[in-house]
Amino acid sequence: MAKNWLDTAVITQNSKVYAAFVLVLCGMAVWDVLSTLYFDISIVRGKRPWRWPMVLYFICRICMLLHIFAMAVNLNAISEIPCQEVTWISKIADAIGTCCSSLILVLRTRAVWHRNIKISVGLGLLFLGQIAMWVQTFRYSKAQWNAQRNVCAVISTAPRPLLVAVFAYTMALDLIILLLCTWMLSTSRRSSTLANLLWRDGIGYFCAVFGANLVQMIMAALALNPVMNIIALPFALVISVMASTTVFRNVFIKHDAFSAESTGPGTSGSRGISHSADTGPLNFNRFGPGRFQSAHRTNDIQLGDYNKSHHDVGHVGAISVTRVVDIDVSGGPIEDTTPPYAEKSGTGL
């Protein structure tokens, strides 16, 4: 005999399983936040340069905690609570957290493509479409206190076609992000640790989020009962936020490591020479009497702060170079070994 998923006893059992599952996800979310709290503290204390996408990073983590804690209270309450208000907090936090997670990856993809206008507009429109899809789900979520079960019972959720469409759209957006990043990083001639990191994290993010959203989409498509329809919803959000914020941290930590290499004693402080964070550090190595070699080195992609293409030039005093310039500091003639595309912006140091 087929199982009647709409039977009251079955729904009650599903609610208990859902409540226990949410508690497990609470543990995962808290562990993720606490284990990476050093990064958050370093931003708040100003030890890392501020970038506006960091706002999205914090919003994602806060929404993840709000959503999962609201769900835990909703499903494990020991006395009557305002169920509809708690449900709204959970729903709004879920939508904002999911959309901000996607936006972090949209910005990273835009940076990888050097702010290409077509890519930026296309991804922007797709992201707005995701927001529009999520907004449609707000009006359907309803819950009410059940005194017999001592729990906020889910009365209704969004219709099956809408739930399936929301998660299918999110999966499609993640797939497009992965393909764009993979294409750009594979066709680029730049071979660097940060590029490899973006490649690895892009695939890892897609696999994790695709799997989480796929489970939720399948449960929504089956439409067994109101509880089973959304049983994987908090799981999808927690995985999405953990994956996207991990990519965010890895990019910034790796870029900070590159920047730290440029602040050693042999990289600055000579004749007032300074360097830009976008064009990378300049290393000076003595290889002859009174002569220095200035080797240009390019820092890799900064999330949300990639303002220049890799064709831009760096600045050394009054001479702008792209690769190598040999300078005789003893007063003799200057031998310029700069490639043809380098520009001179002054008369000398």
Side-chain angles (χ1 to χ4, degrees), residues 258-286 292-299 312-325 327 349:
F258 287 160
S259 298
E261 292 176 4
S262 68
T263 59
T267 60
S268 61
S270 176
R271 296 176 62 90
I273 295 174
S274 62
H275 57 79
S276 167
D278 289 326
T279 56
L282 292 167
N283 296 324
F284 293 86
N285 299 311
R286 186 179 299 273
F292 292 86
Q293 182 184 24
S294 169
H296 178 274
R297 183 177 162 197
T298 303
N299 272 355
D312 288 351
V313 297
H315 297 281
V316 184
I319 298 180
S320 299
V321 301
T322 300
R323 292 299 179 191
V324 177
V325 172
I327 303 174
L349 287 175

Short mmCIF file of all heavy atoms in Angstrom, two decimals, residues 258-286 292-299 312-325 327 349:
data_model
loop_
_atom_site.label_atom_id
_atom_site.label_comp_id
_atom_site.label_asym_id
_atom_site.label_seq_id
_atom_site.Cartn_x
_atom_site.Cartn_y
_atom_site.Cartn_z
N PHE A 258 49.98 37.86 -1.71
CA PHE A 258 50.77 38.44 -2.79
C PHE A 258 51.23 39.84 -2.42
O PHE A 258 52.37 40.23 -2.66
CB PHE A 258 49.95 38.50 -4.08
CG PHE A 258 49.74 37.16 -4.71
CD1 PHE A 258 48.72 36.97 -5.62
CD2 PHE A 258 50.56 36.08 -4.39
CE1 PHE A 258 48.52 35.73 -6.21
CE2 PHE A 258 50.36 34.85 -4.97
CZ PHE A 258 49.34 34.68 -5.88
N SER A 259 50.32 40.62 -1.81
CA SER A 259 50.67 41.98 -1.43
C SER A 259 51.75 42.00 -0.36
O SER A 259 52.63 42.85 -0.35
CB SER A 259 49.43 42.72 -0.92
OG SER A 259 48.46 42.81 -1.94
N ALA A 260 51.69 41.04 0.56
CA ALA A 260 52.68 40.98 1.64
C ALA A 260 54.08 40.73 1.09
O ALA A 260 55.07 41.21 1.63
CB ALA A 260 52.30 39.90 2.64
N GLU A 261 54.17 39.96 -0.01
CA GLU A 261 55.47 39.69 -0.61
C GLU A 261 56.13 40.96 -1.13
O GLU A 261 57.34 41.04 -1.24
CB GLU A 261 55.31 38.69 -1.75
CG GLU A 261 54.89 37.30 -1.28
CD GLU A 261 54.65 36.37 -2.47
OE1 GLU A 261 54.90 36.84 -3.61
OE2 GLU A 261 54.24 35.24 -2.26
N SER A 262 55.31 41.96 -1.45
CA SER A 262 55.84 43.18 -2.04
C SER A 262 56.26 44.20 -1.01
O SER A 262 56.74 45.26 -1.36
CB SER A 262 54.79 43.81 -2.96
OG SER A 262 53.70 44.29 -2.20
N THR A 263 56.04 43.93 0.29
CA THR A 263 56.35 44.92 1.33
C THR A 263 57.64 44.61 2.05
O THR A 263 57.92 45.17 3.10
CB THR A 263 55.19 44.97 2.35
OG1 THR A 263 55.03 43.66 2.92
CG2 THR A 263 53.90 45.41 1.68
N GLY A 264 58.44 43.67 1.53
CA GLY A 264 59.71 43.34 2.15
C GLY A 264 60.72 44.45 1.98
O GLY A 264 60.51 45.43 1.26
N PRO A 265 61.87 44.34 2.66
CA PRO A 265 62.85 45.41 2.63
C PRO A 265 63.40 45.71 1.26
O PRO A 265 63.85 46.81 1.00
CB PRO A 265 63.96 44.93 3.56
CG PRO A 265 63.62 43.54 3.98
CD PRO A 265 62.28 43.21 3.49
N GLY A 266 63.37 44.75 0.34
CA GLY A 266 63.98 44.99 -0.96
C GLY A 266 63.01 45.43 -2.01
O GLY A 266 63.33 45.44 -3.18
N THR A 267 61.77 45.77 -1.61
CA THR A 267 60.78 46.08 -2.61
C THR A 267 60.29 47.50 -2.58
O THR A 267 59.58 47.92 -3.47
CB THR A 267 59.56 45.14 -2.44
OG1 THR A 267 59.03 45.35 -1.13
CG2 THR A 267 59.95 43.70 -2.62
N SER A 268 60.64 48.27 -1.58
CA SER A 268 60.16 49.64 -1.53
C SER A 268 61.12 50.48 -0.72
O SER A 268 62.05 50.00 -0.11
CB SER A 268 58.75 49.70 -0.93
OG SER A 268 58.77 49.20 0.40
N GLY A 269 60.84 51.77 -0.69
CA GLY A 269 61.63 52.68 0.11
C GLY A 269 62.88 53.17 -0.57
O GLY A 269 63.70 53.82 0.04
N SER A 270 63.10 52.90 -1.85
CA SER A 270 64.29 53.36 -2.55
C SER A 270 63.95 54.55 -3.42
O SER A 270 63.17 54.45 -4.35
CB SER A 270 64.84 52.23 -3.43
OG SER A 270 65.92 52.66 -4.19
N ARG A 271 64.50 55.72 -3.07
CA ARG A 271 64.33 56.95 -3.84
C ARG A 271 62.86 57.32 -3.99
O ARG A 271 62.42 57.85 -5.00
CB ARG A 271 64.97 56.82 -5.23
CG ARG A 271 66.46 56.63 -5.15
CD ARG A 271 67.01 56.40 -6.54
NE ARG A 271 66.77 57.55 -7.44
CZ ARG A 271 67.60 58.57 -7.58
NH1 ARG A 271 68.72 58.62 -6.88
NH2 ARG A 271 67.33 59.55 -8.40
N GLY A 272 62.06 57.01 -2.96
CA GLY A 272 60.66 57.40 -2.97
C GLY A 272 59.82 56.65 -3.97
O GLY A 272 58.79 57.13 -4.40
N ILE A 273 60.27 55.48 -4.39
CA ILE A 273 59.53 54.72 -5.38
C ILE A 273 58.31 54.09 -4.71
O ILE A 273 58.40 53.51 -3.65
CB ILE A 273 60.39 53.63 -6.01
CG1 ILE A 273 61.52 54.28 -6.79
CG2 ILE A 273 59.59 52.73 -6.92
CD1 ILE A 273 62.52 53.30 -7.35
N SER A 274 57.16 54.20 -5.35
CA SER A 274 55.93 53.58 -4.85
C SER A 274 55.32 52.75 -5.95
O SER A 274 55.64 52.90 -7.11
CB SER A 274 54.93 54.67 -4.39
OG SER A 274 54.57 55.48 -5.49
N HIS A 275 54.38 51.87 -5.53
CA HIS A 275 53.72 51.03 -6.52
C HIS A 275 52.25 50.95 -6.24
O HIS A 275 51.79 51.14 -5.14
CB HIS A 275 54.34 49.62 -6.58
CG HIS A 275 54.31 48.92 -5.26
ND1 HIS A 275 53.18 48.30 -4.77
CD2 HIS A 275 55.29 48.74 -4.33
CE1 HIS A 275 53.46 47.76 -3.60
NE2 HIS A 275 54.71 48.01 -3.31
N SER A 276 51.49 50.66 -7.29
CA SER A 276 50.04 50.57 -7.17
C SER A 276 49.63 49.16 -6.83
O SER A 276 50.22 48.20 -7.27
CB SER A 276 49.40 50.98 -8.51
OG SER A 276 48.04 50.64 -8.54
N ALA A 277 48.53 49.04 -6.06
CA ALA A 277 48.03 47.70 -5.70
C ALA A 277 47.46 46.99 -6.90
O ALA A 277 47.34 45.78 -6.92
CB ALA A 277 46.96 47.82 -4.60
N ASP A 278 47.06 47.76 -7.92
CA ASP A 278 46.48 47.12 -9.08
C ASP A 278 47.54 46.56 -10.02
O ASP A 278 47.31 45.61 -10.73
CB ASP A 278 45.62 48.14 -9.87
CG ASP A 278 44.37 48.48 -9.11
OD1 ASP A 278 43.85 47.59 -8.43
OD2 ASP A 278 43.91 49.63 -9.21
N THR A 279 48.69 47.22 -10.09
CA THR A 279 49.69 46.79 -11.05
C THR A 279 50.74 45.89 -10.47
O THR A 279 51.50 45.27 -11.20
CB THR A 279 50.38 48.02 -11.66
OG1 THR A 279 50.93 48.79 -10.60
CG2 THR A 279 49.42 48.86 -12.46
N GLY A 280 50.81 45.77 -9.14
CA GLY A 280 51.70 44.81 -8.52
C GLY A 280 53.00 45.40 -8.06
O GLY A 280 53.35 46.54 -8.37
N PRO A 281 53.74 44.64 -7.28
CA PRO A 281 54.99 45.14 -6.72
C PRO A 281 56.12 45.20 -7.72
O PRO A 281 56.09 44.55 -8.75
CB PRO A 281 55.28 44.12 -5.62
CG PRO A 281 54.63 42.87 -6.10
CD PRO A 281 53.43 43.29 -6.86
N LEU A 282 57.16 45.97 -7.37
CA LEU A 282 58.35 46.08 -8.20
C LEU A 282 59.54 45.60 -7.39
O LEU A 282 59.80 46.11 -6.30
CB LEU A 282 58.56 47.53 -8.63
CG LEU A 282 57.51 48.08 -9.61
CD1 LEU A 282 57.66 49.59 -9.70
CD2 LEU A 282 57.66 47.44 -10.96
N ASN A 283 60.25 44.62 -7.88
CA ASN A 283 61.40 44.06 -7.18
C ASN A 283 62.68 44.57 -7.82
O ASN A 283 62.85 44.52 -9.04
CB ASN A 283 61.38 42.52 -7.27
CG ASN A 283 60.19 41.95 -6.54
OD1 ASN A 283 59.78 42.47 -5.51
ND2 ASN A 283 59.62 40.87 -7.09
N PHE A 284 63.63 45.06 -6.98
CA PHE A 284 64.88 45.59 -7.46
C PHE A 284 66.01 44.66 -7.05
O PHE A 284 66.21 44.39 -5.88
CB PHE A 284 65.11 46.99 -6.87
CG PHE A 284 64.13 48.00 -7.36
CD1 PHE A 284 62.90 48.15 -6.72
CD2 PHE A 284 64.40 48.76 -8.48
CE1 PHE A 284 61.99 49.07 -7.18
CE2 PHE A 284 63.48 49.68 -8.93
CZ PHE A 284 62.28 49.84 -8.28
N ASN A 285 66.73 44.14 -8.02
CA ASN A 285 67.85 43.23 -7.76
C ASN A 285 69.11 43.78 -8.43
O ASN A 285 69.12 44.06 -9.62
CB ASN A 285 67.55 41.84 -8.31
CG ASN A 285 66.33 41.22 -7.66
OD1 ASN A 285 66.24 41.23 -6.45
ND2 ASN A 285 65.41 40.70 -8.47
N ARG A 286 70.17 43.92 -7.63
CA ARG A 286 71.42 44.43 -8.19
C ARG A 286 72.08 43.34 -9.03
O ARG A 286 72.24 42.23 -8.59
CB ARG A 286 72.36 44.85 -7.05
CG ARG A 286 73.63 45.52 -7.55
CD ARG A 286 74.48 45.94 -6.37
NE ARG A 286 73.80 46.89 -5.52
CZ ARG A 286 73.84 48.20 -5.73
NH1 ARG A 286 74.53 48.68 -6.75
NH2 ARG A 286 73.20 49.02 -4.92
N PHE A 292 70.22 48.63 -11.64
CA PHE A 292 69.12 47.90 -11.04
C PHE A 292 68.22 47.37 -12.14
O PHE A 292 68.11 47.97 -13.19
CB PHE A 292 68.27 48.80 -10.11
CG PHE A 292 69.00 49.24 -8.88
CD1 PHE A 292 69.81 50.37 -8.91
CD2 PHE A 292 68.86 48.54 -7.70
CE1 PHE A 292 70.47 50.77 -7.78
CE2 PHE A 292 69.51 48.95 -6.58
CZ PHE A 292 70.33 50.07 -6.61
N GLN A 293 67.56 46.28 -11.84
CA GLN A 293 66.56 45.74 -12.77
C GLN A 293 65.20 45.90 -12.13
O GLN A 293 64.99 45.47 -11.00
CB GLN A 293 66.81 44.27 -13.07
CG GLN A 293 65.80 43.71 -14.08
CD GLN A 293 66.00 42.24 -14.30
OE1 GLN A 293 66.53 41.55 -13.45
NE2 GLN A 293 65.57 41.75 -15.43
N SER A 294 64.30 46.53 -12.83
CA SER A 294 62.92 46.70 -12.35
C SER A 294 62.04 45.70 -13.07
O SER A 294 61.81 45.83 -14.25
CB SER A 294 62.45 48.13 -12.63
OG SER A 294 61.07 48.23 -12.40
N ALA A 295 61.59 44.70 -12.34
CA ALA A 295 60.79 43.64 -12.98
C ALA A 295 59.34 43.83 -12.61
O ALA A 295 58.98 43.78 -11.44
CB ALA A 295 61.28 42.27 -12.51
N HIS A 296 58.51 44.04 -13.61
CA HIS A 296 57.09 44.23 -13.35
C HIS A 296 56.45 42.88 -13.03
O HIS A 296 56.73 41.89 -13.66
CB HIS A 296 56.42 44.84 -14.60
CG HIS A 296 54.94 45.01 -14.43
ND1 HIS A 296 54.04 44.01 -14.70
CD2 HIS A 296 54.23 46.08 -14.00
CE1 HIS A 296 52.83 44.46 -14.48
NE2 HIS A 296 52.91 45.69 -14.04
N ARG A 297 55.56 42.91 -12.07
CA ARG A 297 54.86 41.70 -11.67
C ARG A 297 53.39 42.02 -11.45
O ARG A 297 53.06 43.04 -10.86
CB ARG A 297 55.46 41.20 -10.38
CG ARG A 297 54.86 39.89 -9.89
CD ARG A 297 55.62 39.51 -8.66
NE ARG A 297 54.83 38.54 -7.95
CZ ARG A 297 55.05 38.25 -6.70
NH1 ARG A 297 56.02 38.82 -6.04
NH2 ARG A 297 54.31 37.36 -6.11
N THR A 298 52.51 41.22 -11.91
CA THR A 298 51.10 41.55 -11.86
C THR A 298 50.41 40.82 -10.74
O THR A 298 50.45 39.60 -10.69
CB THR A 298 50.42 41.16 -13.20
OG1 THR A 298 51.11 41.83 -14.24
CG2 THR A 298 48.96 41.56 -13.20
N ASN A 299 49.79 41.58 -9.84
CA ASN A 299 48.92 40.95 -8.85
C ASN A 299 47.70 40.40 -9.55
O ASN A 299 47.26 40.93 -10.57
CB ASN A 299 48.47 41.97 -7.81
CG ASN A 299 49.47 42.05 -6.68
OD1 ASN A 299 50.43 41.29 -6.65
ND2 ASN A 299 49.25 42.99 -5.78
N ASP A 312 47.49 47.43 -18.63
CA ASP A 312 47.84 48.69 -18.00
C ASP A 312 49.31 48.68 -17.59
O ASP A 312 49.92 47.65 -17.43
CB ASP A 312 46.97 48.94 -16.76
CG ASP A 312 45.55 49.30 -17.15
OD1 ASP A 312 45.35 49.50 -18.36
OD2 ASP A 312 44.68 49.35 -16.26
N VAL A 313 49.84 49.87 -17.35
CA VAL A 313 51.25 49.98 -17.03
C VAL A 313 51.43 50.38 -15.59
O VAL A 313 50.56 50.96 -14.97
CB VAL A 313 51.94 51.01 -17.94
CG1 VAL A 313 51.89 50.58 -19.38
CG2 VAL A 313 51.33 52.38 -17.75
N GLY A 314 52.60 50.07 -15.04
CA GLY A 314 52.93 50.50 -13.69
C GLY A 314 53.74 51.78 -13.75
O GLY A 314 54.19 52.21 -14.80
N HIS A 315 54.01 52.40 -12.59
CA HIS A 315 54.70 53.67 -12.55
C HIS A 315 55.89 53.58 -11.63
O HIS A 315 55.76 53.22 -10.48
CB HIS A 315 53.75 54.76 -12.06
CG HIS A 315 52.59 54.96 -12.98
ND1 HIS A 315 52.65 55.68 -14.15
CD2 HIS A 315 51.32 54.48 -12.91
CE1 HIS A 315 51.47 55.67 -14.74
NE2 HIS A 315 50.65 54.94 -14.01
N VAL A 316 57.08 53.92 -12.15
CA VAL A 316 58.28 53.96 -11.34
C VAL A 316 58.82 55.36 -11.44
O VAL A 316 59.39 55.75 -12.46
CB VAL A 316 59.33 52.95 -11.86
CG1 VAL A 316 60.53 52.96 -10.93
CG2 VAL A 316 58.74 51.57 -11.96
N GLY A 317 58.61 56.16 -10.40
CA GLY A 317 59.03 57.55 -10.46
C GLY A 317 58.35 58.25 -11.61
O GLY A 317 57.15 58.29 -11.70
N ALA A 318 59.17 58.76 -12.55
CA ALA A 318 58.62 59.44 -13.71
C ALA A 318 58.65 58.58 -14.94
O ALA A 318 58.46 59.07 -16.03
CB ALA A 318 59.39 60.74 -13.95
N ILE A 319 58.99 57.30 -14.79
CA ILE A 319 59.03 56.41 -15.95
C ILE A 319 57.94 55.36 -15.81
O ILE A 319 57.86 54.69 -14.79
CB ILE A 319 60.39 55.71 -16.08
CG1 ILE A 319 61.49 56.77 -16.29
CG2 ILE A 319 60.39 54.71 -17.21
CD1 ILE A 319 62.85 56.17 -16.43
N SER A 320 57.07 55.22 -16.81
CA SER A 320 56.03 54.21 -16.80
C SER A 320 56.50 53.04 -17.63
O SER A 320 56.91 53.21 -18.77
CB SER A 320 54.74 54.78 -17.40
OG SER A 320 54.29 55.87 -16.64
N VAL A 321 56.44 51.85 -17.06
CA VAL A 321 56.93 50.67 -17.76
C VAL A 321 55.91 49.57 -17.70
O VAL A 321 55.04 49.57 -16.86
CB VAL A 321 58.26 50.17 -17.15
CG1 VAL A 321 59.33 51.23 -17.20
CG2 VAL A 321 58.03 49.70 -15.73
N THR A 322 56.06 48.64 -18.62
CA THR A 322 55.22 47.46 -18.59
C THR A 322 56.01 46.23 -18.23
O THR A 322 55.53 45.37 -17.52
CB THR A 322 54.54 47.27 -19.97
OG1 THR A 322 53.75 48.43 -20.23
CG2 THR A 322 53.66 46.04 -19.95
N ARG A 323 57.24 46.10 -18.68
CA ARG A 323 58.03 44.91 -18.34
C ARG A 323 59.35 45.27 -17.65
O ARG A 323 59.46 45.23 -16.46
CB ARG A 323 58.32 44.08 -19.60
CG ARG A 323 57.06 43.43 -20.17
CD ARG A 323 56.44 42.49 -19.17
NE ARG A 323 55.25 41.90 -19.69
CZ ARG A 323 54.37 41.21 -19.02
NH1 ARG A 323 54.54 41.03 -17.74
NH2 ARG A 323 53.30 40.69 -19.58
N VAL A 324 60.38 45.69 -18.41
CA VAL A 324 61.71 45.87 -17.82
C VAL A 324 62.33 47.17 -18.31
O VAL A 324 62.25 47.49 -19.49
CB VAL A 324 62.65 44.69 -18.19
CG1 VAL A 324 64.04 44.91 -17.63
CG2 VAL A 324 62.07 43.39 -17.67
N VAL A 325 62.93 47.92 -17.38
CA VAL A 325 63.70 49.12 -17.73
C VAL A 325 65.02 49.06 -16.98
O VAL A 325 65.03 48.81 -15.78
CB VAL A 325 62.94 50.41 -17.33
CG1 VAL A 325 63.84 51.62 -17.52
CG2 VAL A 325 61.69 50.56 -18.17
N ILE A 327 68.21 51.05 -15.60
CA ILE A 327 68.52 52.44 -15.26
C ILE A 327 69.94 52.51 -14.71
O ILE A 327 70.28 51.79 -13.77
CB ILE A 327 67.52 52.98 -14.22
CG1 ILE A 327 66.09 52.86 -14.76
CG2 ILE A 327 67.84 54.41 -13.86
CD1 ILE A 327 65.05 53.24 -13.74
N LEU A 349 64.38 59.87 -13.60
CA LEU A 349 64.11 59.81 -12.17
C LEU A 349 64.62 61.09 -11.50
O LEU A 349 65.66 61.59 -11.87
CB LEU A 349 64.80 58.59 -11.56
CG LEU A 349 64.14 57.28 -11.90
CD1 LEU A 349 64.98 56.12 -11.35
CD2 LEU A 349 62.74 57.21 -11.32
#
